[in-house]
Amino acid sequence: MQNPNEDTEWNDILRKKGILPPKEKLKEQEQAKEEEELRILQQQSIVKTYEDMTLEELEDNEDEFNEEDERAVEMYRQQRLAEWKATQMKNKFGELLEISGLDYVQEVTKAGKDIWVILHLYKQGIPLCALINQHLSGLAKKFPDVKFIKAISTTCIPNYPDRNLPTIFIYLEGDIKAQFIGPLVFGGMNLTRDELEWKISESGAIKTDLEENPRKQIQDQLMSSVKSSFSTKKDSDSEED
């Protein structure tokens, strides 16, 4: 195909007849086309750049965006802000908090939508309560999207009997989903953090990475030991006969 910009006799004839535009106009059209292509490339480059920017970087570079870019950037900023807020909400706790009965409604009943609350009722001087507080502190760090709180029992429930301690209540949006009351439920001072994690996870409050109940492993070992001991005794009795 012949180039319309070439200085040929045929092109001159076509220009005179108005079939081809004057050379100057062609140059303007080509220049405009090149500028449009450059603008598109620059815009694509900006889009790729702002998708990798933090919220602070978006604010620092907002003067470099044109009106069309600004609309896209604003939508992206809102998306990043929503993601940031969701992350902050999920990681808003991270420690075992002490409350009193006066705080109960605010911290438990009004904890918020989809917020799990683990409340430990305890008293000073009870070793198992101290052990559970220690375990809950570790679990609070491991599961920062769950609210772990503790309270001296009688500040929440007047005259609550010490024989029921330790007590753990598990709430979701103000409703009790599980409860563990008294030392026997926890297995005494041999309770490990993994065992407590598994017990709480059965309520749905936390998503444990443990593959099976740690207590089951201990029970299996005990049963194996008992069977072995029984078998040895049986063999010994047979030899005596």
Side-chain angles (χ1 to χ4, degrees), residues 24-147:
E24 294 76 11
K25 194 170 183 180
L26 277 173
K27 288 181 180 178
E28 290 176 2
Q29 289 176 349
E30 286 190 352
Q31 185 176 357
K33 184 178 179 182
E34 289 175 359
E35 289 175 354
E36 177 64 16
E37 289 176 351
L38 181 61
R39 190 189 69 79
I40 292 172
L41 287 173
Q42 288 175 338
Q43 188 176 20
Q44 289 175 343
S45 175
I46 289 174
V47 169
K48 289 180 182 177
T49 301
Y50 76 64
E51 286 180 344
D52 295 328
M53 288 182 181
T54 63
L55 289 171
E56 292 80 6
E57 289 170 336
L58 285 173
E59 292 179 0
D60 292 341
N61 292 277
E62 61 183 357
D63 291 339
E64 299 178 13
F65 304 136
N66 60 34
E67 186 176 344
E68 191 173 326
D69 295 329
E70 285 177 359
R71 285 196 295 268
V73 168
E74 182 57 29
M75 289 178 61
Y76 186 68
R77 181 187 283 116
Q78 292 302 324
Q79 177 186 336
R80 292 295 297 272
L81 189 60
E83 291 171 355
W84 178 81
K85 285 182 177 178
T87 301
Q88 291 296 107
M89 181 63 71
K90 287 184 177 181
N91 298 293
K92 65 185 299 185
F93 306 116
E95 60 181 327
L96 179 62
L97 304 173
E98 178 91 32
I99 70 165
S100 68
L102 297 174
D103 306 314
Y104 178 87
V105 172
Q106 184 63 37
E107 298 295 337
V108 178
T109 309
K110 297 181 178 180
K113 182 176 173 57
D114 297 328
I115 299 296
W116 286 90
V117 179
I118 315 295
L119 170 62
H120 175 213
L121 298 183
Y122 77 102
K123 262 194 178 176
Q124 300 285 355
I126 299 179
L128 185 54
C129 287
L131 178 65
I132 287 178
N133 277 337
Q134 181 181 331
H135 290 336
L136 290 178
S137 292
L139 292 176
K141 293 176 182 176
K142 185 175 180 179
F143 303 98
D145 56 328
V146 175
K147 180 185 283 189

